[in-house]
Amino acid sequence: MNTNIQNFINGEYVGNVSGKTFENRNPVDNSLIGLVHEAGRLEVDAAVAAAKRALSGPWGQLSVIERVKLLDAVAVEINRRFDDFLQAEIADTGKPSHLASHVDIPRGAANFQIFADTIKNMSTESFEMRTPDGKTALSYGVRVPRGVIAVVCPWNLPLLLMTWKVGPALACGNTVVVKPSEETPLTATLLGEVMNTVGVPAGVYNVVHGFGPDSAGAFLTSHPDVNGITFTGETGTGTAIMKAAADGIRPVSLELGGKNAALVFEDCDFQVAVDTVTRSCFENAGQVCLGTERVYVQRPIFERFVAALKEKAESMTPGRPFDAQTRIGPLVSKEHQRKVLSYYEKAREEGATIVTGGGIPAMPDDLKDGCWVQPTIWTGLPETASVVTEEVFGPCCHISPFDTEDEVLAKVNDNRYGLATSIYTQDIGRANRLARQIEVGLCWINSWFLRDLRTPFGGSKQSGIGREGGVHSFEFYTELRNVMVKY
Ligand code: NAD
């Protein structure tokens, strides 16, 4: 394991001038993984300058096909070093290995392949017209890279969500400076080795470590030579970043928080609904932006559904990532554990019926210092309660009964977030009607977390601005220029 976690600038691993470091701890048992070099203004300046220079170096001269070959090679190399990435991601997050090996790492590699494939087939529009003097003019579009892209990332799916931005940004010919979450610095750092191995020119991919305000995050997003900012994280942070981007009129792509609802109708396939809502509430210990924290169940099946979800929640064995029986890992950090437990407390104070959980599970001595919380289900709260309106980002949900489609639609839409929803019903007319009326960017019917990377992804309302995925990513990572020729 890398115990000295450095910034990656201009193709080299570098510490920082000030010698300032911070601890990176394993959330399973709070053991020390290593010391992370916190980038100051000097390091951020160096990373942005390297990224800017690289735009006019060999990288800028490559044809699309040459870039595509390099990105394919990045994907192949991530897969070749699958185990290194798996160990790094698991050390940072504590997530069960079955999850990281089926989702985080393969999707991290796929993000380079899919955008390499997509850019090969991108076309632009062209129009021909007559000019007043009887000649002909042709207008056509060309897509040019925006320049230096700042990629500011969260900790819940570190490699997956970072490459989801870096893949398309590089496919379009930009260069990037990545600011991984302070909680999960390892896989972004390791990706630097991959870039060097496959021959991505120095300065194309850079990583600076640190925090948000008064640290690498703020220095990067306010840097005048950054031409675009793509961010995934909390809505409050997105607000600060949008303000920073206003100086210099830089474009932003924001993927933010959510308070996602599941709607379970009495005509659903009961087992599909229970199994899928179990995943959407508790997978990755509830630390998935698309996860469900509000469940609305039609009254005739309410009691049965609550009992079935309770049984599922109680079967989620916490444990070490590589233990075969482990079904749920810890939260990412002590700080996040405190936040989630404070919501568990608020739910109790606001009068919730605690169906299951509500605290810290009993763990063996060697894991007692980890960031564990119990999967938790509440009922009986009004729609105004804290855990029904605010994003907790833990393995928990509130379940309420409803009678009619109109009633549940009004409740679901009465929230400042609008990221995702899932609807469980056999009535295809109703499912499609609701999909158009629920104010979200993503709607699943009888499923959850199914992603086709060619399709648009993003949030409505305070869950974000912009759509990425497939050709939609290229709207953000390129500037569309119109060229007019008279002949
Ligand atoms: P966060 O907003 O606390 O941090 C995200 C990143 O922003 C970190 O790298 C952090 O250091 C940096 N940062 C913080 N303040 C900053 C500032 N002022 N300027 C620049 N950078 C700053 O989010 P988190 O706790 O890491 O992640 C959890 C949140 O992310 C949840 O709200 C979740 O819903 C959201 N999320 C959304 C999506 C999506 O696709 N919509 C996906 C994953 C996570």
Side-chain angles (χ1 to χ4, degrees):
M1 188 55 63
N2 189 354
T3 52
N4 189 25
I5 302 148
Q6 295 187 315
N7 302 293
F8 182 72
I9 300 174
N10 202 30
E12 288 177 7
Y13 287 95
V14 289
N16 59 2
V17 177
S18 67
K20 213 169 158 189
T21 57
F22 60 93
E23 288 182 345
N24 181 26
R25 288 195 173 266
N26 186 327
V28 168
D29 54 10
N30 205 30
S31 58
L32 186 66
I33 298 170
L35 293 179
V36 188
H37 288 251
E38 182 179 351
R41 276 194 198 277
L42 268 177
E43 288 75 28
V44 172
D45 283 351
V48 174
K52 192 175 174 183
R53 274 196 312 278
L55 288 167
S56 52
W59 176 248
Q61 313 305 316
L62 296 183
S63 67
V64 171
I65 295 303
E66 288 166 329
R67 278 207 307 271
V68 161
K69 275 193 189 145
L70 274 179
L71 296 185
D72 280 336
V74 170
V76 169
E77 183 65 8
I78 293 174
N79 282 325
R80 195 186 68 77
R81 297 191 60 185
F82 195 94
D83 201 46
D84 294 339
F85 277 95
L86 186 68
Q87 297 284 350
E89 202 72 308
I90 285 176
D92 269 351
T93 60
K95 63 178 76 188
S97 74
H98 65 84
L99 191 61
S101 59
H102 283 98
V103 181
D104 298 67
I105 312 305
R107 283 272 302 272
N111 281 335
F112 287 98
Q113 250 145 10
I114 186 84
F115 290 108
D117 283 348
T118 310
I119 194 111
K120 276 193 294 203
N121 300 312
M122 266 298 273
S123 63
T124 52
E125 71 224 273
S126 72
F127 293 97
E128 210 176 53
M129 70 172 199
R130 269 296 141 90
T131 60
D133 57 359
K135 302 232 163 104
T136 304
L138 175 71
S139 300
Y140 65 91
V142 281
R143 288 198 175 272
V144 295
R146 276 198 191 278
V148 177
I149 305 290
V151 183
V152 183
C153 310
W155 44 255
N156 59 329
L157 298 155
L159 180 71
L160 189 161
L161 290 174
M162 184 258 294
T163 53
W164 165 246
K165 311 297 189 140
V166 172
L170 297 191
C172 293
N174 300 285
T175 58
V176 297
V177 181
V178 173
K179 212 299 278 167
S181 168
E182 52 274 34
E183 307 292 354
T184 53
L186 289 179
T187 45
T189 310
L190 193 54
L191 191 60
E193 289 181 20
V194 168
M195 296 288 172
N196 283 350
T197 303
V198 306
V200 171
V204 171
Y205 173 81
N206 305 276
V207 180
V208 289
H209 293 297
F211 303 84
D214 281 326
S215 184
F219 301 153
L220 179 63
T221 50
S222 61
H223 200 293
D225 286 338
V226 163
N227 305 108
I229 304 166
T230 181
F231 169 74
T232 309
E234 285 183 4
T235 297
T237 313
T239 310
I241 286 182
M242 207 169 164
K243 285 180 182 159
D247 272 337
I249 318 290
R250 277 98 40 84
V252 287
S253 173
L254 303 176
E255 290 177 5
L256 308 176
K259 188 70 188 177
N260 311 307
L263 291 69
V264 183
F265 286 87
E266 68 171 311
D267 68 349
C268 70
D269 179 321
F270 190 79
Q271 205 51 50
V272 166
V274 170
D275 290 346
T276 316
V277 172
T278 302
R279 284 182 53 231
S280 72
C281 291
F282 306 125
E283 196 156 278
N284 207 34
Q287 303 163 117
V288 181
C289 55
L290 306 166
T292 304
E293 291 190 356
R294 300 185 284 159
V295 185
Y296 297 94
V297 181
Q298 213 164 14
R299 203 173 298 275
I301 60 166
F302 177 75
E303 299 296 341
R304 191 173 151 225
F305 187 91
V306 172
L309 202 70
K310 173 181 191 292
E311 197 182 322
K312 289 280 189 184
E314 290 172 356
S315 72
M316 309 227 34
T317 315
R320 288 197 178 274
F322 289 98
D323 286 354
Q325 71 277 17
T326 296
R327 287 287 154 266
I328 189 166
L331 297 178
V332 76
S333 65
K334 288 278 176 199
E335 187 188 338
H336 193 53
Q337 184 194 34
R338 275 192 292 277
K339 177 183 159 186
V340 171
L341 289 174
S342 78
Y343 274 107
Y344 284 13
E345 195 47 45
K346 268 188 203 169
R348 191 172 284 119
E349 282 164 16
E350 292 180 30
T353 300
I354 300 164
V355 176
T356 186
I360 299 176
M363 300 301 289
D365 278 351
D366 56 333
L367 299 181
K368 272 207 159 56
D369 272 350
C371 310
W372 307 96
V373 296
Q374 288 178 312
T376 295
I377 299 173
W378 305 286
T379 56
L381 286 170
E383 285 298 293
T384 51
S386 309
V387 297
V388 183
T389 56
E390 296 168 28
E391 183 186 46
V392 180
F393 219 52
C396 56
C397 66
H398 179 259
I399 316 183
S400 329
F402 73 89
D403 294 299
T404 68
E405 196 178 309
D406 284 347
E407 174 200 351
V408 72
L409 178 65
K411 286 180 174 168
V412 169
N413 280 342
D414 185 19
N415 192 274
R416 71 181 178 123
Y417 294 112
L419 187 53
T421 197
S422 42
I423 304 167
Y424 299 88
T425 176
Q426 302 284 357
D427 179 342
I428 195 71
R430 167 159 62 202
N432 283 290
R433 191 161 60 237
L434 282 167
R436 296 178 75 91
Q437 291 174 297
I438 299 177
E439 296 157 350
V440 286
L442 298 144
C443 176
W444 282 284
I445 296 169
N446 298 322
S447 58
W448 176 75
F449 209 57
L450 260 182
R451 278 288 297 141
D452 181 329
L453 300 182
R454 295 169 298 184
T455 62
F457 179 96
S460 308
K461 302 202 276 192
Q462 293 186 33
S463 290
I465 292 184
R467 294 291 180 272
E468 296 199 33
V471 296
H472 307 281
S473 290
F474 301 142
E475 293 298 330
F476 181 72
Y477 295 107
T478 60
E479 192 82 63
L480 183 57
R481 182 174 297 157
N482 189 41
V483 181
M484 282 141 287
V485 199
K486 187 175 175 192
Y487 58 94

